[in-house]
Every structure is written in structure tokens, then in C-alpha cells.
Amino acid sequence: MSIDLSEFHDIFFEECTEGLSVMEEGLLTLDKGADVEEINAIFRAAHSIKGGSASFGFTAISGFTHVMETLLDEMRDGRREVTREIVDLLLESVDVLRDMVTAAREEDESENQRTAEVQAKLERVLAGQAEAEPEAEAPAAAGAGSDSAASPAEAAPETEEPVQDADGTPAAAAGWKISFAPHESLLRSGNDPARIFRELERLGRLEVASDSADLPLFNAITPENSYLRWDLTLYGDIAEADIRELFSWVEDECDLTLTPFSAVEAVPAESEPAAPAAAPAEAAAAPAPQAVPESVAPDAAPAEVAEVAAKPSPAAAETEPKAAPKPAAKKQASNKESGSIRVGIDKVDALINMVGELVITQSMLSQISSNLEEGTTKNFDKLLDGITQLERNTRELQESVLQIRMLPISFSFSRFPRLVRDLSKSMGKQIELKMTGEHTEVDKTVLEKIGDPLVHLVRNSLDHGIETPDVRREKGKPETGVLELCAYHEGGDIIIQVKDDGAGLSRERILGKAVEKGLVSENEDLSDERVYNLIFMPGFSTADKISDVSGRGVGMDVVRRNVRDLGGNVTINNNAGGAGSTVTIRLPLTLAILDGQLVRIGQETFIVSLVSIVESLQMKREMINSITGQSELYRVRDEYIPIIRVNRLFGTREGTEDLLDGLLVVVESDGQRVGLFVDDLLGQQQVVIKSLETNFKQIQGISGATILGDGTVALIMDVPGLIQKHFESCKRADSGRAAAA
Amino acid sequence: MTATGSDEMTAEALVLDEALTMSDLETLYETLKCVAATEQDASIDASAVTSVDTASLQLLLSFVRQLDDNGCRVNWCGVSDAFVKTADLLDLTRDLKCAA
């Protein structure tokens, strides 16, 4: 049996990500005023990260979070005023923590200077507080070390020293008697009491007394079962919740009793152990073998014990065996390939229900088929009913499965409050961010890939769109600009809009820049839509100044490419009334299913994504032009577009050769329009995309395949790839002719 | 689990692996069973151990007791700091008789 705790790391990292989001969102709301509930929520998130990281041995994370938690604790107790500076520092700490989690995920053990700097800042702030309140903290702080001014419970883990008075005896603080009796299954579930005890040691001085009375004879033992139990004594002013947190992973697999004892009770107990001078080292190195009252002198020589005690973290050292990185590295590699998703139990339940229905229908069909009599139509109606039922089940099952990959867009939106706050501050603008439709769900892959384009759009709005307060005042607008992010479903798509009430798009400036760059001719009569879409051209920027936020003209074309890669499209328009602009992104809900147009070429069926198709038309001879006898062009209104003979491009000898006998499907990719010459249009349907690369090999111009209702395989055309293949083919032909000449 | 072969157990020390964890528990158990079957004193070398979990220490404790019951004893040829620390932490050092 092999249990690898690193298998749970992914869950921990996801929880960290969620916790960090909670902290960040909460801190941003503190800008508007201190709210105890919000501070509590931030504290809880920090506390969970600390607890989890300590359990998994990520000591750097737990140490850093502990300092943050101390500051948050002071804030929630009202001992610390919530100021903009403190919120800024905590937000910076969240950034650092996020980096630390990322580093832990990637097993990057390199030192991060920023971590040390921010931790030092936090500690300075905490130290400042202690100076202000010397009396309240003095007794315990003295024991915790003069360089730390945190409260005793907090100082103990940070300095990794037990709470002691100056003479080495435990501080006259309360403590806990902990009775810990693991159930037989505890070890089997990957939990290890030693790990928990190590964490307890970080909270305060720990004494352990084991009870092995239930340990079976060697020949009768089941090694994976747990037979030992322990009575622990933990000294220090420690919150019960902090102790329970350490046992939270095993709470269902043990009998746990926590009994507080007062300082008065603790003192006699402590007065009995051996020589006081030996006590501190003894406590830090090895808990006394017996329970509190009858301390037995340890076998180890005092000098050796003291040496061990001097090490900063004996527990931490042992939690990082040298051999550990190897298997973990393998884990990391596999994680990068697979990824993970957290799914609500309701979605899994729905899926299970659907499968149950499917099984019933299958069973019904089996029964009907066994009762079918050859040559008769008896039971035929029942069979048809069964097939209809099967069809419904399959559709519902498909919907349920797709639901599993759906996540709310808030995962992507959640980064923007912070981004807007920081950028508006650095640009001297006042901006209110409004978000609607955050619960709109979208496929996880779409969600992951839309994040960066959205960031770019928001940065653009902040930089170029919304004006500075004085400019807005001059224009008669409120000093505070509004940036809106909204998401909603429309048909089978998700619509995401980025709106601002800023300056909007200047048709003249865009046209001027486009003429300057030679993208359009001066006298060209273009619609507003065409003009505005010019900003999606590579290298296009109307910004007078290049800032670190935007203006280099690198971005909007990337935004459009990313959106198109996801099977969507992006448009930009000025808002009605001239107040600002709106960028609208339309994306498919999932990448697993495509809305496709089935086309026939010879005997083969191909699929073209509906979002790529501009129009389909029957060609007229007078509109067809040929260039050097090779490339054919078709005139669509005022534009000549290349004709791609798909059959020739893929080397099939099938299909109509006479252009007048077939149809031209006009498609667009990256602003480039081409016409695909096909024999016929068959119909439109949703198709499930199967990877061609996985099942066969990659083919330029083909993005995947699907299986049609009749069982035949249809290839899905990759329009950008097809266009590229066509032009490469033309180039080769030209070179060939030139060489021949 | 790197351990000396069962036939030589009595003559040679059983050398424990660097990491004693649940994943190798069954191997350790089988090895210890072979040693126990000889009904002779046993030597264990834990000097290379860099990490040990509760399950392994519990098994070793049961083994030590078995030998005790058989009138034999375990000689610890070497124990690493890591091994002793975890045994101390679980208050098993005395029962294992492995104090450094």
C-alpha cells in the first residue's frame, strides 16, 4: 500500500488560490471602510492557508502567513487601525504569498528577496504596535525573545521557541491537555501523528506520553493499523481553534479531547521536573517521555540535547527528507499535462443520475430486442420509444458532462478589482469598477484563455479610455469614471463586455493612423465598424505616449487572435451618446462542441465552423478572375477574395472542378477573407470535436474530426491553417514556374 | 527496503532505509518477520534513516517486544538523529530502547 501525501498538494494549492482571492477581495473592500466581518473572513482565509501549508510541510508559506495573520488578528480585535497603508501592505503580502504558492507548486526552492522584504515590513509594523502597547504584551514578549514583540502565542511559532519565562520555565500561561486516540484507520489514510505533533510543537512547548497497551503481538499486528494513543500537554496561551486546526485532517479518525488548564494548575506540574537549567533545552529537543508530573531525565546528554535545541526548526528539518523531491518532480510533470478541476457535488450527482437513466434505457432496449420476432413489426413501437428515450438520455448526459467543465466567469473577473485599484492609483484616475454576471458559467479552458485578453482590454480602457478627473470635470462628466465588466449567455454563446464611460474611439484618429500606416487609402469610404476594427490590426496604436500599461500597439491584435483561437469573435464600438466605448467578446460555451456547417466535397463531408463563415454564394463566371493561371479570385462586392479549391489542396481527386457547379463559402480569419470552393452545403449541426493529432496525426488545415450520425468520420476545417496552406501552395507553384522558366 | 537477506539476519545488522514510510511498511514487516523467526538477538542499523513515520516506529516497537518475549534483544548499531527525534516526539524512545 502506498500513500503519497503529495497527491493532495493540488487540492491544497487550489484552496490557497481560493483563499488568496478571498483575502484580496476582502482587503479591497476595506478601502471603503473597516468591516469586522470582512476582516474575519480575511483572517479565516489566511488561517486556513497557514494550517494547510504547515500540514503539508510548506513551512515558508506557513511562517509568512503567520505574520500576516498576527496583523489581521490585531485588526479584527480593534487593536490595529485599518489604514490605507496597512491594506496596501497586506495586498502586497497577498501577492508575495501567491508567488510563494506558485513556487511551491513548481517546486522552486530559490529564495525570493521580495518575500523577506515584505515579511520584514510586516514585522516592523507589528513591532511598532508593541511599542505602543508595551504593558499589555510585556510579560510574554520577554519570554518570547526581545526582538519579537508579537503576542506569546504568535511569537512562539515564529521564533520556534516554547513559551518560557526568562529562567527557562514555562510562562505562567494556560495550556491544554490533549488526549489523542487514533482509530485503527488513521495511518491508512495517509495521516501521521508525528507530523501533527511537530506542528503542535510550533505552537508551544509540548510534552508527550504514549500508551502502547493496545499494541498487538508482532505476529498478529496489521502494520498499517494504528494501535498507539497519546496524552499530550501543550503549554502556552493557545487558541483551541489553532490546535483543532492541526487535527482537522484526522478529526473523523480519532478520539480527541482538549482540556484547558489554567496557569495555576500548570505551575505545580512544572515545578516537579528535573533541574530547571536543563528544562528549556530538554523541552525543545525531546519531550519528556512521561506525562507532565513525573518528568524522567532523558537519556541524551544535556550538551547534545542543547545542540539539537539550538537548531531553528528540528521538526521542519525532518519534514523535508532529501529523497523527497524526486517523486514530487514526477508529480509536477504529470500535473502540468492534466490539470484539475473542482466540481460541485450537485453536478456530479446530476451526472450519476443521468448515467442511471441511461442504464435503465439500455436495459429496456435489451429486453425489447430480445422480444423482437423476426419478420413481424410486433414491439416495433416500443423499440422506437426506447430509441427516443436513449436519444434524450444521451443528450442530457452530454449536457451534464459539459456542465462539469463549466466554471463561473468570476474566476476570471476576480482579478480586476485589484488591477483597477492599483492602476487607477498609479495613473491618478478615479475609477469605479462595476461587475455583473460573474456567475455566468463558461468552459474551464475558455475561462483560462480569456483571462489575458480581458486584462489587456481593461488596461486599455483605464489607460486610453477613462480620462483623468480634471479632464472629465472639463467635459462635464463626474470625476469618477466607470468601468463595467459584464457577462451573460446569449444563445449558445457567452458574451463578455468591457464598457467604459471614457473618451471613446475617435474615428478620425484611427483613420489618420491607418492611412499613415498604409492600412487603408485616404479616400476609402469605410463604415464605422470597419474603422473601429482597424485597432485590431497588428502594430496599430493611436496612443500618443507609450506607457507601461499600453500604447505599443501590441495587444489588440493578440486579443483578437486569442479570442478567435477560442472560436469566438471580438468587436468594438462607441457607446450611444458618445460616452465611452464597449468591447464585446462572443465566445462559445465550450471547446468540446462546435457549431458547424457540413459541406460536401466529392464523396467526403467536411465541417466548417459557423463562426468563420461570412456568407455562402453561387459563383458567376464574370466575377471570377485568374492570376498567372494559378490563383483564382472571386469578386465579392468590391473585394477580390482568393478561391481555395479544397479538393486540390488536400490532394483528393474527387469533387466538382467547374466553379459554376459548386458553391463558394466565404470565410474569414484574422481579417483575411477567402472563399472555400465546395460541391454542396449539407446542413448545420453541433459536432463533438475529436482530436486528430491524438488519434492520427496533425494535418495542416484540419483542426480535428468528428463522427457523424451515419458513423462516418468528417474532418473539421481549420480556416487559418487552410488559408496558410493555400498561400504556401501558391508560393511553391510560383517558385516552380519561375524555376522552369 | 534495503535490508540484509533473511538468512544472514542473525549475523549481519538489518540496515534500515533512509526513508521509512507507509509505502515500504509491508517490506519492513516481512523482513522483521524473518528476523523474529530466528529467535535470536537482532541488530538494527538505523543510522541512515532521514525520515521515519509513526507506522514504522510502531512496527519496530512491536518487533522489539516480540524479541523481548522470546528472551532476545535488539541491538541498535546506530540510530540517526532523525530517527531518535521522531521516536522522542512520539514518546517511543524508551520502549524501543534506541536512545542515542
Side-chain angles (χ1 to χ4, degrees), chain A residues 488-608:
Chain A
Y488 56 92
H489 283 158
E490 192 176 87
D493 297 332
I494 180 171
I495 311 291
I496 303 169
Q497 288 184 317
V498 182
K499 294 184 198 175
D500 67 61
D501 68 347
L505 299 161
S506 164
R507 181 187 161 92
E508 291 69 35
R509 283 184 71 191
I510 296 171
L511 259 180
K513 203 81 181 177
V515 171
E516 185 188 314
K517 285 181 173 285
L519 296 169
V520 293
S521 62
E522 207 163 340
N523 301 323
E524 214 167 327
D525 183 23
L526 296 172
S527 66
D528 283 351
E529 187 191 349
R530 291 288 299 276
V531 172
Y532 297 151
N533 275 330
L534 287 170
I535 69 165
F536 292 112
M537 299 296 283
F540 193 92
S541 174
T542 59
D544 296 327
K545 290 190 297 187
I546 291 172
S547 71
D548 59 352
V549 178
S550 55
R552 292 183 188 277
V554 178
M556 289 304 270
D557 62 317
V558 179
V559 168
R560 185 168 68 172
R561 192 164 64 238
N562 286 359
V563 170
R564 287 192 170 169
D565 284 349
L566 291 168
N569 62 53
V570 54
T571 55
I572 184 163
N573 272 300
N574 271 339
N575 294 337
S581 59
T582 300
V583 178
T584 304
I585 295 174
R586 180 182 286 270
L587 292 165
L589 283 180
T590 175
L591 299 181
I593 290 180
L594 173 91
D595 282 317
Q597 168 71 55
L598 276 61
V599 298
R600 186 175 61 77
I601 298 170
Q603 298 302 310
E604 299 294 330
T605 304
F606 289 86
I607 292 158
V608 186

Side-chain angles (χ1 to χ4, degrees), chain A residues 203-401:
Chain A
L203 296 179
R205 180 185 160 195
L206 180 71
E207 290 180 354
V208 184
S210 64
D211 178 354
S212 55
D214 294 335
L215 188 66
L217 293 173
F218 182 69
N219 290 329
I221 197 171
T222 303
E224 295 87 3
N225 282 357
S226 181
Y227 302 104
L228 305 174
R229 51 185 297 156
W230 290 270
D231 287 318
L232 312 166
T233 307
L234 183 62
Y235 294 95
D237 182 14
I238 300 158
E240 182 178 353
D242 286 350
I243 300 172
R244 291 204 177 273
E245 177 83 26
L246 296 179
F247 286 94
S248 58
W249 286 80
V250 296
E251 60 187 2
D252 296 330
E253 292 184 298
C254 71
D255 294 325
L256 183 69
T257 313
L258 267 65
T259 314
F261 62 87
S262 67
V264 180
E265 287 173 80
V267 173
E270 287 309 304
S271 62
E272 290 184 33
E282 183 187 316
Q290 292 299 311
V292 181
E294 297 143 2
S295 180
V296 174
D299 295 338
E304 289 170 337
V305 175
E307 189 185 328
V308 173
K311 292 179 184 172
S313 175
E318 208 178 329
T319 53
E320 292 162 11
K322 286 174 187 168
K326 283 183 184 172
K330 283 180 195 167
K331 179 78 186 141
Q332 184 200 8
S334 67
N335 284 347
K336 279 184 178 168
E337 287 163 13
S338 61
S340 65
I341 193 166
R342 297 185 81 183
V343 180
I345 198 76
D346 54 331
K347 289 184 178 176
V348 177
D349 285 345
L351 192 60
I352 291 168
N353 276 340
M354 286 298 110
V355 173
E357 293 288 325
L358 200 62
V359 169
I360 293 168
T361 307
Q362 185 266 332
S363 163
M364 184 179 82
L365 282 171
S366 295
Q367 195 174 354
I368 294 168
S369 62
S370 66
N371 292 335
L372 281 178
E373 290 174 21
E374 206 174 329
T376 72
T377 55
K378 194 180 170 188
N379 291 327
F380 188 69
D381 289 345
K382 281 187 183 174
L383 184 64
L384 287 180
D385 286 347
I387 289 169
T388 308
Q389 176 80 10
L390 183 67
E391 197 181 319
R392 190 163 57 240
N393 288 156
T394 309
R395 194 172 54 248
E396 287 174 355
L397 184 63
Q398 186 189 38
E399 283 167 7
S400 291
V401 169

Side-chain angles (χ1 to χ4, degrees), chain A residues 709-722:
Chain A
D710 62 0
T712 57
V713 173
L715 299 174
I716 302 165
M717 290 188 198
D718 166 31
V719 173
L722 211 60

Side-chain angles (χ1 to χ4, degrees), chain A residues 66 69-71 73-74 79 150-159 237:
Chain A
H66 174 76
E69 193 189 65
T70 307
L71 186 56
D73 194 29
E74 289 178 1
R79 285 181 284 143
S151 62
E154 291 149 358
E158 194 178 333
T159 57
D237 182 14

